[in-house]
């Protein structure tokens, strides 16, 4: 009887534990490989966006500030989806002064992160590599930092 109780409690604990992040590997526009494991110990915000998306344009200055000013150390990775051609993304990144890594992505890539219903959509990973929060819609520096502060990671 004790073993059965212990087994039930152990299984419940496993069900409540956060699921580990899938191990992603991306290549940014500069040709640099970005492995999820390389960010161990850091917060990571993976942001899906498009050059034509007005809310994405609104959010980008906040993401640039987060990359530079986040008190907990945060890396931002932008993944462009739904674009006409790679050059349009390159030009947009330059105009917006996006100095964090940007990946030329696709709907398949978004599906690998759990899918997106709209743009922008971001996934926040804690320093242990687990996904902490999913953001839909434009975020601010304060809204992302609030989740970071409240997270047990």
């Amino acid at each position: 009887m004790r073993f059965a109780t212990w087994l039930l409690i152990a299984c419940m604990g496993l069900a409540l534990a956060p699921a580990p992040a899938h191990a992603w590997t991306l290549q940014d526009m500069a040709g640099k490989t970005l492995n999820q494991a390389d960010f161990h110990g850091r917060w990571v915000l993976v942001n899906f966006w498009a050059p034509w998306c007005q809310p994405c344009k609104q959010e980008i200055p906040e993401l640039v500030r987060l990359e530079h000013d986040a008190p907990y150390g945060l890396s931002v990775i932008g993944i462009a989806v739904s674009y006409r051609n790679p050059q349009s993304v390159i030009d947009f990144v330059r105009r917006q002064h996006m100095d964090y890594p940007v990946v030329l992505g696709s709907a398949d890539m978004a599906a690998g992160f759990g899918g997106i219903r709209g743009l922008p959509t971001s996934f926040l990973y804690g320093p242990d590599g687990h996904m902490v929060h999913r953001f839909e819609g434009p975020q601010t520096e304060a809204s992302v930092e609030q989740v970071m502060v409240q997270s047990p990671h």
Side-chain angles (χ1 to χ4, degrees), residues 48 80-82 105-113 115-116:
F48 286 86
V81 294
S82 186
S106 65
D108 288 340
M109 190 177 290
F113 280 85
I116 56 175

Side-chain angles (χ1 to χ4, degrees), residues 18 54 70 73 98 142 149:
Q54 200 59 37
M98 297 166 69
V149 167

Side-chain angles (χ1 to χ4, degrees), residues 89-107:
V89 175
I90 293 167
D91 294 342
F92 182 87
V93 166
R94 235 181 252 128
R95 283 193 309 273
Q96 296 296 317
H97 307 288
M98 297 166 69
D99 57 355
Y100 50 84
V102 175
V103 174
L104 296 172
S106 65

